[in-house]
Amino acid sequence: MVKLPIYMDNHATTPVDPRVLEAMLPYFNGRFGNAASRNHSFGWEAEEAVDKARTSIAAIIGAKPKEIIFTSGATESDNLAIKGVVEFYKEKGNHVITCVTEHKAVLDSCRALERQGRATVTYLPVDRYGMVDPDDVRRAITDRTVLITIMWANNEIGTIHPVAEIGRIAREKGILFHCDAVQAIGKVPVDAEAAGIDLMSLTAHKIYGPKGVGALYVRSKAPRARLSPIIDGGGHERGMRSGTLNVPGIVGFGAACETAAHEMAEEAQRMTDLRSRLHAGICERLDDVHLNGHPTQRLPGNLNLSFAYVEGESLLMGINDVAVSSGSACTSATLEPSYVIRALGVSDELAHSSIRFGLGRFNTAEEVDYVTERVVKEVRRLREMSPLYEMAKEGIDLKSFQWKAQ
Ligand code: PLP
């Protein structure tokens, strides 16, 4: 028997791995020192733990420990990278290139800069799989461009962008490249050097570490990336991010990276297999199911499906012992279809009917089978109540159908 409820929303967050928790615990009480206390053993012990974690985090992206700047999470890292670079290089230019499917932490940082008149921003489109075209990046570059910010992998549809190609273009043109790699690290190989990335946002809670701790990778040479801090204070983290370090969180982040580095290859294969099982199980039994995102260039644990004639929200409510996400943002008062799915060029109806399954380390084949069963049953039930589904099955073309005016 599977244990309910089932958690299958691992792009939103992940549970803390028991090995990570164990590594963190001593730093809450016994080893509680401030890593910036230079004059006693409590401080040294904390600093040593932070240094060890810094090394593990740097290793997972092929960076040097001193290039890791700790933050409160990727939202802060994205803000720091974008606002910090625009401020530092304001004499050089003020143009930023990004893409319409970025996370809100990137898009809203860009919008804030535009509102304040500090930057002009180009929002590149994506193709039907959610991928940005490197040629579009090249064409968007002007002599005022100071930053390109494109994510490694999308948090909703799992599509992996051609980051290395974008990195090559950025390098060729002498423009800094920031990459939000939150969803990619620990899931697929990430190498900042090989991909030509100058700044990279990371967070612990998507890789079985704790919430509220993240990092920004800042390239130290060839070229050195510079930025202005967005938080003023004691000058921690080489002046780029003031504030007492979250030592237990950082230790957890380091442990999460070590575990992920060790298990990534095996885990990626297992996630891919589970995802195929889920996808095949659903598609064998239901018609009119559409895959959102790239068929192959996608995160191993991501499956985003649109179930035509079914409201994603109704489906979610119907399978309330399973934690997945719908493509509608319930953060606002109105139920807007996801801007990411919309950017793929699909209809609002299909965007409204999308569900994101986020498989993770602790999901099992039995859970996948249970979720398949629940989804199939619920979609069938909802479609039985849908006059539109019935009409479509009768061969009526809903697009050209003339509805009678009231
Ligand atoms: N960027 C991406 C792609 C994400 O998926 C998330 C997670 O919500 C964030 C940034 C924000 O990260 P955090 O929760 O650490 O602020």
Side-chain angles (χ1 to χ4, degrees), residues 11-12 73-75 78 103 105 151 153 155 180 182-183 203 205-206:
H11 301 301
T75 299
D78 288 344
H103 191 270
M151 70 201 326
N155 46 299
D180 177 333
V182 161
Q183 297 287 346
T203 194
H205 76 102
K206 314 280 187 183

Side-chain angles (χ1 to χ4, degrees), residues 358-379:
L359 291 153
R361 182 174 291 166
F362 302 107
N363 287 124
T364 63
E366 291 69 38
E367 288 181 337
V368 164
D369 293 345
Y370 180 88
V371 172
T372 306
E373 189 63 36
R374 291 286 280 121
V375 168
V376 167
K377 256 200 192 142
E378 190 58 22
V379 169

